[in-house]
Amino acid sequence: MDSYIANFPKYMVYCVFVACLGSFSNGWVIGSPNVPGEITHNCPNGNAHIYNRAFPDCIPMDNALWGFAVASFCVGGLIGGLTAGSIQTKIGRRKAIVLNNLGYIIGGILIGTSVHQAMFILGRILCGLGCGMGSLSIPTYIGEVSTVKARGAMGTCNQFFIVIGILLSSVIGLPLAKVPLWRINFAIVCIPAIAQFFLMNTCVETPRYLVSVNRIDDARNSLQKLRGKCDIEHEFYDMVEGYFGTAAAQSLTHYQPHSSDIEKADIEEGDTKKDATDHLTATEVVTTHTTSDDSTFDNAAEDTHIVAPISQRDTMSIIQIFVDPVIRRISFTVIFLHAFQQLVGINAVMYYSTAIFTLAFDANMSKYMAIVTTAVNFVMTLAAVILIDRMGRRPLLLIANFGACLFSILLVIGYVYTIPALLVLSVLMYVASFAIGIGPIPWLITSELTPTYASSSVGSTATCVNWAMNFLIGQCFPVIFARISGYSFVIFAVFSAAAFVFTLIFLPETKGRSLESIVQGFERHRK
């Protein structure tokens, strides 16, 4: 069986699962302050050593300092995202993921043993460093090891594991929301981090990265291991061609695609293949399926007639991705998707859902409703894993943006007219809308749209924008919410509407297409 029509080879699924342990750690860092937050910084005994001689009962902070301490992991995320691109280019995707865990391990220990506000904040920043690096390296790894048919589901697992981390941190945080157990709650992140630190060494490096550093034989072996018993020759040829060009690919792989190979793949993939070609011009389709036979093969052939000769360039810097017209368009598409992911306001809801629910419930019930919100996030992200390779990325994201806009407006109406039921329904449906598309798809699209030679720079820039917007919302929303309360969601409704229009106009469908063909689809924009 050709590897292009493979679904879920066991070893590939194992590698994705191990990579997603880092996503779980990310989710735990996000959710860990939610439930035990009050006892962490505002316990009855303050910094007195009542329960333990070595550690104070809590780390006293006023609300402003606590807000900064919680959001400080975004600073680490920003730094991690900025540096992750160059790191994963130099040492590879797999080793970059291993390195991510040092931030979680050291940061978790610092917070768990903190005796001063500075230790707590430094621990959060270090955990954020792991989050930022993992936000780029994990989706990149998953995108580069996954089969075409399973790439959507596998890519969505990144967000799914983040949501699992948030949910479990909230649930486990309930019994740990007391002195001195709150320290354990923050230190638990070390467990998945240590597990991934060792388990990641049982996974292969991505074949596309190995091709990019000219380790062709290692790349072939890596791809074969990921695809099991499937025939990898066609897929491996396309990988090499996408980076070095047709003549070099024929020489290095000793494979020439025949029309019969393509017809067979088209028959077996059916509608999936049709979706892939819908976004290519006739010239590009012909170019994607260049055919030859032994009698016409020429080792001295030139690549001037091949679309996307740019793929032979060296790794692009952040400046270079904005100079090349094709990569610039890809970059702006990815960057805007990441900006909108935060500007629609999901973290405002997740960080302050308890405060929002107090408009409808008492304080104790609001705490449990916040956990219900996280549970809705979990269920709908699972739905996204199931639907993304059936419906496609673009329709799912359009539905999500429309839902976020609609339920932001309904939340404002529920606030203005004091309708508790509408408030609760709007928040839950808003979270559901986010989880079904806005949450997972930008991270998946980053690895799908971007060629290997530009992926690190584009990914770093997009990740930095994502974390910067995250920090901006975390710092600005409390001020805005304090002044205009529920009306603040009008702002998020506007951004959701803008995201809908942007997706409708600029985002191509990537379902069922190889990474190389997706990039070639943008070549029409080269001038």
Side-chain angles (χ1 to χ4, degrees):
M1 180 175 67
D2 191 283
S3 60
Y4 267 129
I5 58 175
N7 287 312
F8 298 95
K10 293 179 181 179
Y11 183 70
M12 181 203 75
V13 174
Y14 169 78
C15 289
V16 170
F17 172 80
V18 173
C20 285
L21 289 176
S23 305
F24 178 87
S25 299
N26 188 337
W28 192 278
V29 171
I30 293 171
S32 55
N34 288 352
V35 176
E38 186 67 20
I39 200 69
T40 300
H41 77 283
N42 191 29
C43 65
N45 298 321
N47 59 1
H49 294 240
I50 304 299
Y51 286 88
N52 191 294
R53 292 183 179 181
F55 305 111
D57 287 5
C58 65
I59 311 296
M61 303 183 210
D62 58 29
N63 288 335
L65 183 58
W66 173 248
F68 175 78
V70 171
S72 62
F73 88 105
C74 294
V75 177
L78 185 62
I79 298 170
L82 187 63
T83 58
S86 59
I87 291 173
Q88 73 171 14
T89 298
K90 290 178 181 178
I91 68 175
R93 282 59 162 139
R94 184 184 66 174
K95 290 182 180 178
I97 294 175
V98 172
L99 189 63
N100 297 347
N101 292 293
L102 296 179
Y104 294 125
I105 295 168
I106 299 172
I109 292 172
L110 269 178
I111 297 174
T113 60
S114 58
V115 296
H116 189 271
Q117 293 89 339
M119 280 184 70
F120 187 96
I121 293 172
L122 179 60
R124 286 287 291 177
I125 292 174
L126 288 174
C127 285
L129 192 67
C131 291
M133 293 177 66
S135 294
L136 175 59
S137 58
I138 293 172
T140 301
Y141 182 87
I142 294 172
E144 292 184 1
V145 302
S146 298
T147 60
V148 171
K149 283 196 167 185
R151 195 174 61 232
M154 294 293 95
T156 309
C157 284
N158 172 58
Q159 183 70 18
F160 184 55
F161 273 72
I162 291 175
V163 173
I164 292 175
I166 296 173
L167 178 60
L168 286 183
S169 68
S170 298
V171 173
I172 295 175
L174 286 171
L176 296 179
K178 59 184 69 173
V179 179
L181 298 182
W182 62 265
R183 294 180 179 275
I184 298 175
N185 182 71
F186 288 101
I188 284 176
V189 72
C190 296
I191 298 174
I194 292 171
Q196 188 185 53
F197 186 88
F198 292 104
L199 289 176
M200 202 66 208
N201 291 295
T202 65
C203 300
V204 295
E205 180 56 85
T206 74
R208 283 183 172 82
Y209 172 76
L210 294 172
V211 167
S212 74
V213 293
N214 206 25
R215 292 168 57 184
I216 304 301
D217 290 338
D218 290 338
R220 183 191 294 274
N221 293 335
S222 172
L223 183 61
Q224 188 66 73
K225 194 169 184 180
L226 288 164
R227 299 296 181 261
K229 297 180 180 179
C230 295
D231 180 4
I232 64 166
E233 293 305 316
H234 190 182
E235 183 179 6
F236 185 62
Y237 170 84
D238 286 346
M239 284 185 187
V240 178
E241 183 191 36
Y243 198 85
F244 291 108
T246 301
Q250 290 175 347
S251 176
L252 290 168
T253 66
H254 307 292
Y255 173 83
Q256 297 86 47
H258 296 277
S259 57
S260 59
D261 296 333
I262 298 155
E263 289 168 2
K264 180 181 178 182
D266 287 342
I267 292 171
E268 289 174 323
E269 290 187 22
D271 293 337
T272 301
K273 199 69 177 179
K274 182 179 182 299
D275 291 339
T277 57
D278 282 345
H279 296 275
L280 298 174
T281 65
T283 302
E284 288 166 333
V285 172
V286 171
T287 304
T288 301
H289 299 312
T290 302
T291 64
S292 64
D293 54 37
D294 293 337
S295 62
T296 60
F297 176 68
D298 181 8
N299 283 321
E302 294 182 356
D303 295 330
T304 54
H305 65 289
I306 300 297
V307 171
I310 188 175
S311 61
Q312 297 175 54
R313 292 184 180 177
D314 292 333
T315 301
M316 284 185 164
S317 68
I318 290 178
I319 294 175
Q320 289 173 321
I321 64 174
F322 294 108
V323 174
D324 182 86
V326 172
I327 305 303
R328 181 173 60 238
R329 186 179 181 90
I330 292 173
S331 299
F332 279 123
T333 301
V334 171
I335 288 167
F336 273 100
L337 287 177
H338 277 272
F340 282 129
Q341 185 190 60
Q342 297 299 329
L343 291 174
V344 298
I346 183 61
N347 282 324
V349 174
M350 300 308 291
Y351 290 159
Y352 302 98
S353 55
T354 302
I356 295 171
F357 283 125
T358 54
L359 299 173
F361 301 104
D362 59 43
N364 190 52
M365 186 61 182
S366 296
K367 183 169 63 176
Y368 287 97
M369 285 303 299
I371 296 177
V372 171
T373 303
T374 307
V376 170
N377 195 5
F378 168 81
V379 171
M380 295 309 295
T381 304
L382 178 59
V385 173
I386 297 170
L387 293 174
I388 196 163
D389 281 320
R390 290 173 170 82
M391 292 182 61
R393 288 66 157 150
R394 195 166 177 268
L396 218 52
L397 191 55
L398 287 170
I399 292 170
N401 285 318
F402 177 80
C405 179
L406 173 64
F407 293 111
S408 292
I409 294 171
L410 290 178
L411 194 151
V412 174
I413 294 172
Y415 166 76
V416 171
Y417 294 100
T418 317
I419 309 173
L422 185 58
L423 271 175
V424 173
L425 178 66
S426 298
V427 169
L428 295 180
M429 292 304 296
Y430 170 88
V431 171
S433 299
F434 177 88
I436 200 73
I438 304 172
I441 290 176
W443 299 111
L444 171 62
I445 285 292
T446 302
S447 63
E448 288 191 323
L449 292 186
T450 315
T452 306
Y453 55 85
S455 62
S456 293
S457 294
V458 174
S460 285
T461 306
T463 303
C464 283
V465 169
N466 193 297
W467 283 98
M469 294 299 103
N470 189 337
F471 185 77
L472 178 68
I473 294 296
Q475 293 300 300
C476 294
F477 182 76
V479 178
I480 297 172
F481 191 76
R483 288 180 176 272
I484 60 175
S485 237
Y487 287 106
S488 55
F489 277 84
V490 172
I491 301 171
F492 300 139
V494 172
F495 279 120
S496 299
F500 179 91
V501 174
F502 180 85
T503 302
L504 187 65
I505 296 173
F506 293 105
L507 184 65
E509 181 55 73
T510 59
K511 183 186 76 169
R513 303 170 65 183
S514 70
L515 301 183
E516 289 73 25
S517 74
I518 294 169
V519 175
Q520 286 179 347
F522 278 91
E523 286 293 330
R524 68 168 72 88
H525 302 294
R526 188 178 297 281
K527 295 181 180 179

